[in-house]
Amino acid sequence: MAILTSALDPRSAGFQANREAYEARLATLRERLAHAASGGRGAHVGRHKARGKLLVRDRIDLLLDPGSPFLEVAPLAAWGQYGNEVPGAGAVAGIGLVERTPVMIVANDATVKGGSFYRETVKKHVRAQEIAEQQRLPCLYLVDCGGANLPQQDQVFPDKDHFGNTFLRQCRMSAAGLAQVSAVFGGCTAGGAYIPALSDEVVMVEGQARIHLGGPSIVKVAINEEIDGESLGGAAMHTRVSGVSDWLAADEPEALAKLREIVASLAVERDLSPPRQALPPRLSGEELAGVVPADRRQPYDVREVLARLVDDSDFVEFKPEWGATLVAGTARIHGFPVGILGNNGPLYSDSSLKAAHFIQLCDQRRIPLLFLQNISGFMVGGEAERGGIAKDSAKMVYAMATARVPRLTVILGGSYGAGNYGMCGRGFWPDFLFAWPTAECATMSADIAANVMLELRRSSVRQGPPGPAELAAIEKAVRDQYAEQSDPYYATSRLWDDGILEPAQTRDVLGLCLALAASRGEAPPRDARVFRL
């Protein structure tokens, strides 16, 4: 055993100051999550309930097994955009247990713009399907959807990652044996109609659910036919006449019960139990809020995080006396083995090569990888370039990108430039990527970006020498831009991550992700060689 100890005193003034600053960030996170879940749309909620319909989260609660966890994907999608009138991008997506089977649930929220698809809604739907396909999860669609948001048609309709891509994924997952099942609770028009139409099995709620490629108004304009919505696409018609629906439910609880029956009939067996008994860390995860400095620019030892994250605080470090700015080693989280890479500064040639070697070892031994990002980037400068940082950093990127084991990423602090790439940022398709409220993701820090732009202006021949007022304006504009775009809520709003986590929740979320990855049953052929790069 290699038990991590802490050099921090939780009773010290510095620790308590850090904790208080972090608690303020957590209060902001909780407030925004609460708003996304239920705030700001009282009239719409009242009208929804008056129609005898359940709210989207109540539907999910009835669908899930009692006591099931629910790992929500991108709960703050679209936060701060559209005047904050599209909370959660109008949908709820996440992983939970139905009849003891892990499933992906994608549910429209009709109290948000009628459940129509905005740019972020499409992105969230696609991301949920991407996770489901990778983790081999059945998909359950709780459909209450008005189709594409028409004013955004150029941003949701024609491109390869737009609305049509959701249907492509649905077809391919069905063909791969991953069940696609829909329950329809409201009107589904145009693109919204294809979510149930492309499903393997469909349940519709009588008197409420409708499926039609064009609603009554479109039919009137297109072919001059007068027809009411129920006759055109109601649940009874589609179940008894067209055959689009397979089951007719008297109400929403009955529809959700039928979904549970269908999942039970799939006979999908996934063993989510860990190979070893899970042991809590010897240091409390609640202390993580005091580990991270109040000033995000101040460094901290990632081992302090690991001591409060891994089972029994037991961490077997790899090459502990070489490449000090990267901490690497093996541990267990909730009983599941994991190889961890965490930043303790910028990545030099030695720490890059250490990472490449460690990643290949884990890949050879089929140990999932966890990247804990707090990275200013790879080292720059004449000495670093002469030492081969370009090729050594590329070796780390190559090893990370080609690893076939599951890869998880959590952005704890800074995530800048190529450091984001080397530590398995979004562009490298990690299985899951989460952030802490202290995360900052950008090409570089605001300080460096401002200096770069100022230097470019000073060296401009065409524009001539700049005056102090112009330089001050440039610096302010750059700093304002980076302050806005580096904010973790700006990132999560655009689904650059799968959600912002409270530090104390991180261990449980990672445990669930590792359980899913360990049970998905993939065993691809692999080359067992290890290159000491």
Side-chain angles (χ1 to χ4, degrees):
M1 296 175 67
I3 303 300
L4 292 168
T5 57
S6 177
L8 301 177
D9 181 3
R11 296 166 296 182
S12 69
F15 191 96
Q16 291 300 323
N18 291 341
R19 186 171 217 159
E20 289 176 11
Y22 217 114
E23 287 294 339
R25 291 194 178 101
L26 293 179
T28 299
L29 173 62
R30 292 164 187 163
E31 177 184 333
R32 293 180 177 183
L33 287 171
H35 181 274
S38 60
R41 50 187 187 276
H44 298 288
V45 169
R47 184 173 59 183
H48 188 84
K49 289 182 175 179
R51 292 171 175 168
K53 300 173 71 173
L54 296 172
L55 297 177
V56 62
R57 293 178 184 275
D58 293 334
R59 290 170 182 163
I60 291 172
D61 286 344
L62 282 176
L63 178 60
L64 293 174
D65 294 346
S68 166
F70 184 63
L71 178 57
E72 189 168 351
V73 175
L76 292 174
W79 173 264
Q81 302 185 67
Y82 315 110
N84 243 4
E85 293 181 353
V86 192
V92 179
I95 301 167
L97 296 176
V98 175
E99 294 292 337
R100 296 177 294 178
T101 300
V103 300
M104 174 62 76
I105 298 171
V106 183
N108 306 116
D109 187 347
T111 70
V112 179
K113 306 296 183 181
S116 59
F117 275 70
Y118 283 69
R119 177 180 61 240
E120 290 73 24
T121 320
V122 172
K123 196 169 184 180
K124 183 171 183 175
H125 193 110
V126 168
R127 177 57 184 150
Q129 290 178 307
E130 183 178 67
I131 293 171
E133 184 171 14
Q134 190 172 46
Q135 305 303 323
R136 300 203 55 77
L137 303 173
C139 289
L140 305 183
Y141 302 96
L142 309 186
V143 192
D144 201 345
C145 165
N149 176 257
L150 295 182
Q152 279 199 334
Q153 69 90 22
D154 64 325
Q155 300 176 65
V156 302
F157 173 69
D159 207 356
K160 68 181 183 69
D161 291 325
H162 286 174
F163 204 175
N165 186 249
T166 69
F167 308 139
L168 171 73
R169 291 177 179 275
Q170 199 170 332
C171 295
R172 290 189 171 180
M173 280 193 283
S174 175
L178 300 176
Q180 308 290 297
V181 184
S182 288
V184 184
F185 300 97
C188 301
T189 303
Y194 280 105
I195 299 173
L198 288 170
S199 293
D200 304 330
E201 295 185 72
V202 180
V203 184
M204 295 182 72
V205 178
E206 188 169 16
Q208 292 184 4
R210 294 179 185 173
I211 297 174
H212 32 57
L213 298 186
S217 59
I218 293 177
V219 171
K220 173 63 176 175
V221 172
I223 63 173
N224 199 31
E225 179 184 353
E226 296 277 358
I227 188 169
D228 65 88
E230 189 66 23
S231 301
L232 180 64
M237 188 280 291
H238 275 312
T239 308
R240 295 168 179 153
V241 180
S242 74
V244 170
S245 170
D246 305 299
W247 311 95
L248 185 64
D251 53 27
E252 294 196 12
E254 183 179 325
L256 294 164
K258 176 55 68 175
L259 278 189
R260 290 182 55 83
E261 285 182 20
I262 293 170
V263 173
S265 73
L266 298 177
V268 176
E269 295 186 8
R270 294 278 293 261
D271 183 5
L272 298 178
S273 58
R276 289 192 189 175
Q277 179 185 0
L279 298 172
R282 299 192 179 199
L283 299 171
S284 172
E286 297 295 332
E287 293 178 353
L288 286 169
V291 168
V292 180
D295 184 349
R296 287 193 253 196
R297 294 170 296 181
Q298 294 298 313
Y300 56 90
D301 190 346
V302 72
R303 296 178 186 85
E304 295 285 355
V305 175
L306 296 175
R308 296 163 174 85
L309 186 66
V310 303
D311 286 12
D312 202 30
S313 302
D314 187 2
F315 180 68
V316 180
E317 191 165 348
F318 177 73
K319 289 184 181 291
E321 298 184 45
W322 192 68
T325 58
L326 181 89
V327 175
T330 53
R332 289 182 180 268
I333 295 178
H334 277 285
F336 293 96
V338 62
I340 303 174
L341 299 95
N343 301 121
N344 262 359
L347 290 163
Y348 292 80
S349 279
D350 56 358
S351 45
S352 300
L353 294 175
K354 172 180 172 177
H357 186 182
F358 180 71
I359 290 168
Q360 289 187 324
L361 283 174
C362 289
D363 195 43
Q364 179 203 54
R365 297 166 185 174
R366 303 190 182 188
I367 300 173
L369 291 163
L370 169 61
F371 297 84
L372 301 178
Q373 289 196 13
N374 184 27
I375 176 69
S376 57
F378 290 99
M379 193 59 192
V380 298
E383 183 178 353
E385 297 294 353
R386 287 190 296 272
I389 187 63
K391 64 179 176 63
D392 293 334
S393 63
K395 290 172 183 176
M396 176 182 176
V397 171
Y398 188 95
M400 177 275 300
T402 58
R404 290 151 294 189
V405 293
R407 296 170 302 151
L408 314 176
T409 302
V410 183
I411 302 177
L412 311 183
S415 177
Y416 298 116
N420 169 279
Y421 293 171
M423 291 293 291
C424 198
R426 191 61 138 183
F428 287 83
W429 305 350
D431 291 46
F432 294 93
L433 187 150
F434 300 102
W436 281 5
T438 38
E440 288 186 351
C441 186
T443 53
M444 59 191 72
S445 69
D447 290 339
I448 295 175
N451 287 331
V452 168
M453 296 306 294
L454 290 173
E455 187 59 32
L456 288 173
R457 176 61 187 91
R458 291 188 186 102
S459 62
S460 173
V461 175
R462 183 177 63 83
Q463 293 177 286
E470 182 184 357
L471 291 176
I474 290 172
E475 181 172 10
K476 182 179 185 305
V478 173
R479 289 188 179 278
D480 288 348
Q481 177 192 359
Y482 273 72
E484 176 189 6
Q485 296 179 356
S486 299
D487 186 85
Y489 296 99
Y490 186 95
T492 203
S493 173
R494 290 154 180 81
L495 286 96
W496 297 353
D497 56 54
D498 295 321
I500 299 177
L501 301 178
E502 296 190 17
Q505 297 173 335
T506 306
R507 171 178 161 83
D508 290 342
V509 170
L510 291 176
L512 178 56
C513 294
L514 289 168
L516 290 169
S519 67
R520 67 190 185 195
E522 294 178 314
R526 54 188 61 232
D527 187 336
R529 292 176 292 173
V530 174
F531 297 93
R532 296 178 63 92
L533 299 174

